[in-house]
Amino acid sequence: MTEKIIILDFGSQVTQLIGRRLRELNVYCEIYPYNKIPALDETVKGVILSGSPFSVRDEKAPQADLGGIKGVLPLLGICYGAQYLAHKYGGEVNASIAREYGRAMLDVTDPGSPLLKGISQHSQVWMSHGDTIARLPEGAEVIASTADVENAAYSIKGEQTYAVQFHPEVYHTVEGSRILANFALGICGCKGDWTPASFIDTTIAELKAKLGEDKVILGLSGGVDSTVAAVLLNKAVGHNLTCIFVNNGLLRKNEFEDVLASYKDMGLNVIGADASADFISRLKGVTDPEQKRKIIGRLFIETFDKYAHSIENARWLAQGTIYPDVIESASVNGPSSTIKSHHNVGGLPEKMNLKIVEPLRSLFKDEVRRVGRALKIKEELIGRHPFPGPSLGIRILGEVTEAKLAILREADDIFIRGLREYKIEGVPSASDPTMTATNLYDSIWQAGAMLLPVKSVGVMGDERTYEYTIALRAVISTDGMTADWVHLPYDFMAKVSNDIINKVRGVNRVVYDISSKPPATIEWE
């Protein structure tokens, strides 16, 4: 059984980062709401308490039952977690006179502490709190301080209990990964052997045991998650897996044919379901972005359902669900408010009476890519940028028509091919920082073209034109939750703009989106 560390989430926006940092150490971990603590069997090697937007002094501050944890298992409190331990066990937490938000310098006062082993005497950490621990609980000792916070880190004598008021999980805490490594690998004694190879072996064995000789259906999208899920399932059940790739008529240039060809070379059993005419027909006259998304999602389900019924005796529906989806669905405060609806095959199980199998539900996005590379999946599939489920339907602002799709496909193709062809000196790849990107495409998280519902006057030759505007978008991100626009080279921008205007009939103007997320979103609709 896989050893693990349990992270109890008190609602911090960066709780997922704790998990990501531990996974980078090859330590498996799971995140649970503070009020849904799982059974603590022999596989649990330690527990971490996250930060929170609450103050421990609030009347409705989250409270966790730490019986069977504190003093029994190694325990690390982070920010709110540190204040909660102090408050709950006899210390005192007050509103801070000098609030600390942002960078601070940590001075180690107990270099012999196992948590701070190898940490510099004076190092940068990231603070984000309005309260401070005025008095430690009985038996606690200070192990590090900042200029404004005396009890910046402490431990409790006779226990493997530690607490820090800063955030070791964020990049701004320069030696944060070392602190988490000291806790996970040192104090908790984790082996650090949870690797892509070990995940593959364990997952295939589990899938074989769970699925047996049952038939499985998987909806492919051409994206990273569904591709990796398909290959894992294929290794487990072989010919009993049938994949369905739906052409919604909104895909990029040659995408339906190219993706099908890629999967054929991989030995997957794939059905190409061409429903493009139905999608375009249903979208006629529709301009509201949310309505477009719902129509596309609903018709996808109808199409998938129709083709799935041709597969006799299917028992399982496979999904490319990844860990951030699982965490969101069980978050402390419930799912976030709807900024825009998403569609996947999640609406199918009740209708189809199939059981669900999700081989990637314990992985973060970057881990899915690492597993994909370990499975020897082609880099052109593993390194693909994220692409929205509603496809070009939400990159055409306003009504979707065949004519607009033709324009956008050509413009997008010029942009993406240009990114792939433009060579750069080696920089970290956006899909895996441990790899090197040698072209613009691989250095970017996501890019695409948008067709705007406005026309403007232009001049081509001696003639006046009145044609569409194309907006280009390229962002860098780690998980899509936040993103910043990419400073593309001027010579590249000039060439792409010139090529689009000269080669795509119906376009006479190209603009570049320099908005970050938030406040904007990556997609325009």
Side-chain angles (χ1 to χ4, degrees):
M1 297 176 70
T2 303
E3 63 181 20
K4 57 180 171 282
I5 287 178
I6 297 297
I7 301 166
L8 297 184
D9 179 19
F10 287 91
S12 169
Q13 292 185 344
V14 292
T15 298
Q16 284 194 32
L17 281 180
I18 304 173
R20 290 171 66 90
R21 297 296 162 262
L22 291 176
R23 299 285 186 88
E24 288 168 2
L25 298 169
N26 294 329
V27 173
Y28 182 66
C29 60
E30 293 178 352
I31 300 174
Y32 292 89
Y34 69 91
N35 54 357
K36 295 181 181 177
I37 301 174
L40 302 173
D41 58 25
E42 69 277 6
T43 65
V44 178
K45 300 300 181 182
V47 175
I48 295 177
L49 309 181
S50 83
S52 175
F54 289 93
S55 163
V56 295
R57 298 176 296 107
D58 291 345
E59 185 179 338
K60 295 183 178 180
Q63 306 279 326
D65 180 5
L66 300 181
I69 296 178
K70 183 178 178 295
V72 179
L73 291 169
L75 177 62
L76 173 63
I78 293 175
C79 196
Y80 177 92
Q83 295 168 359
Y84 180 72
L85 287 172
H87 178 74
K88 184 176 178 66
Y89 294 100
E92 185 178 347
V93 177
N94 297 328
S96 177
I97 297 174
R99 295 186 176 189
E100 283 201 337
Y101 290 100
R103 294 173 178 83
M105 298 307 295
L106 186 76
D107 292 314
V108 176
T109 57
D110 181 7
S113 168
L115 185 69
L116 303 179
K117 182 180 179 181
I119 301 300
S120 303
Q121 185 67 35
H122 195 60
S123 66
Q124 177 183 290
V125 296
W126 186 262
M127 293 283 191
S128 181
H129 59 90
D131 288 348
T132 193
I133 300 171
R135 178 169 51 83
L136 293 175
E138 187 176 347
E141 298 178 324
V142 178
I143 58 175
S145 304
T146 70
D148 293 316
V149 178
E150 180 183 358
N151 301 315
Y154 65 90
S155 61
I156 296 181
K157 288 186 290 185
E159 299 179 9
Q160 291 181 305
T161 298
Y162 300 85
V164 295
Q165 286 204 75
F166 54 90
H167 286 273
E169 69 272 28
V170 302
Y171 285 113
H172 305 296
T173 297
V174 176
E175 296 181 89
S177 290
R178 184 186 290 268
I179 292 171
L180 291 173
N182 285 342
F183 179 72
L185 302 175
I187 296 166
C188 297
C190 293
K191 298 183 183 69
D193 57 0
W194 194 71
T195 62
S198 67
F199 172 82
I200 290 167
D201 291 342
T202 301
T203 301
I204 291 173
E206 289 175 349
L207 289 171
K208 285 180 177 179
K210 175 184 284 189
L211 304 176
E213 294 299 317
D214 290 350
K215 290 186 178 181
V216 184
I217 303 171
L218 170 69
L220 279 174
S221 67
V224 177
D225 301 337
S226 65
T227 299
V228 174
V231 173
L232 282 170
L233 284 159
N234 191 48
K235 288 182 175 294
V237 301
H239 66 277
N240 282 329
L241 171 67
T242 300
C243 304
I244 299 173
F245 180 37
V246 176
N247 181 7
N248 59 14
L250 308 170
L251 301 176
R252 290 167 289 193
K253 186 176 180 180
N254 300 326
E255 186 168 20
F256 186 58
E257 297 78 12
D258 291 347
V259 170
L260 281 177
S262 296
Y263 286 138
K264 187 176 181 180
D265 292 343
M266 295 163 63
L268 294 174
N269 177 25
V270 183
I271 296 174
D274 189 354
S276 52
D278 291 339
F279 278 83
I280 304 304
S281 174
R282 296 268 193 101
L283 289 169
K284 185 176 181 179
V286 179
T287 59
D288 179 72
E290 187 65 11
Q291 190 179 356
K292 284 197 292 185
R293 282 177 171 269
K294 288 179 178 177
I295 289 171
I296 294 167
R298 187 163 54 247
L299 188 51
F300 173 85
I301 290 174
E302 291 174 11
T303 305
F304 189 95
D305 186 36
K306 183 177 81 174
Y307 281 84
H309 270 95
S310 67
I311 302 164
E312 295 182 0
N313 301 318
R315 296 283 182 269
W316 296 85
L317 174 68
Q319 298 188 145
T321 307
I322 61 175
Y323 200 39
D325 303 324
V326 177
I327 297 169
E328 174 67 15
S329 66
S331 65
V332 171
N333 298 312
S336 304
S337 61
T338 300
I339 304 301
K340 53 190 179 183
S341 62
H342 295 260
H343 90 277
N344 53 29
V345 291
L348 289 170
E350 290 182 13
K351 184 176 183 180
M352 298 179 66
N353 197 30
L354 296 174
K355 294 181 286 186
I356 299 176
V357 57
E358 298 167 317
L360 306 179
R361 65 179 284 112
S362 65
L363 299 184
F364 289 103
K365 189 76 168 188
D366 53 338
E367 294 171 327
V368 175
R369 287 194 166 102
R370 289 172 62 197
V371 168
R373 292 187 174 104
L375 287 166
K376 305 291 193 248
I377 297 174
K378 288 177 287 190
E379 188 61 31
E380 65 191 67
L381 288 171
I382 293 303
R384 284 189 73 186
H385 290 178
F387 188 58
S391 310
L392 299 182
I394 56 166
R395 291 186 176 178
I396 293 174
L397 278 67
E399 182 185 12
V400 176
T401 66
E402 288 280 17
K404 290 179 181 177
L405 282 165
I407 292 172
L408 184 56
R409 283 194 182 102
E410 292 301 324
D412 182 77
D413 185 60
I414 290 170
F415 183 34
I416 298 301
R417 278 193 293 108
L419 291 171
R420 290 187 183 279
E421 293 168 0
Y422 192 96
K423 302 304 179 185
I424 59 174
E425 292 187 14
V427 299
S429 167
S431 65
D432 185 348
T434 65
M435 300 184 67
T436 299
T438 56
N439 60 59
L440 278 176
Y441 182 89
D442 291 336
S443 71
I444 291 169
W445 168 267
Q446 187 172 344
M450 320 288 165
L451 180 65
L452 305 190
V454 294
K455 290 185 176 183
S456 63
V457 173
V459 178
M460 290 187 178
D462 294 324
E463 296 184 0
R464 174 186 182 276
T465 62
Y466 190 59
E467 296 178 332
Y468 286 110
T469 299
I470 289 288
L472 303 180
R473 181 83 156 130
V475 299
I476 192 70
S477 179
T478 56
D479 52 17
M481 299 301 291
T482 61
D484 202 3
W485 62 280
V486 177
H487 295 242
L488 294 173
Y490 286 157
D491 60 332
F492 168 81
M493 299 281 281
K495 184 177 187 307
V496 165
S497 173
N498 191 59
D499 284 349
I500 290 174
I501 291 171
N502 286 337
K503 296 177 181 178
V504 183
R505 188 174 296 276
V507 176
N508 67 358
R509 194 177 297 270
V510 174
V511 299
Y512 186 54
D513 182 350
I514 58 170
S515 311
S516 297
K517 177 185 178 181
T521 55
I522 295 176
E523 300 296 338
W524 279 40
E525 286 194 341

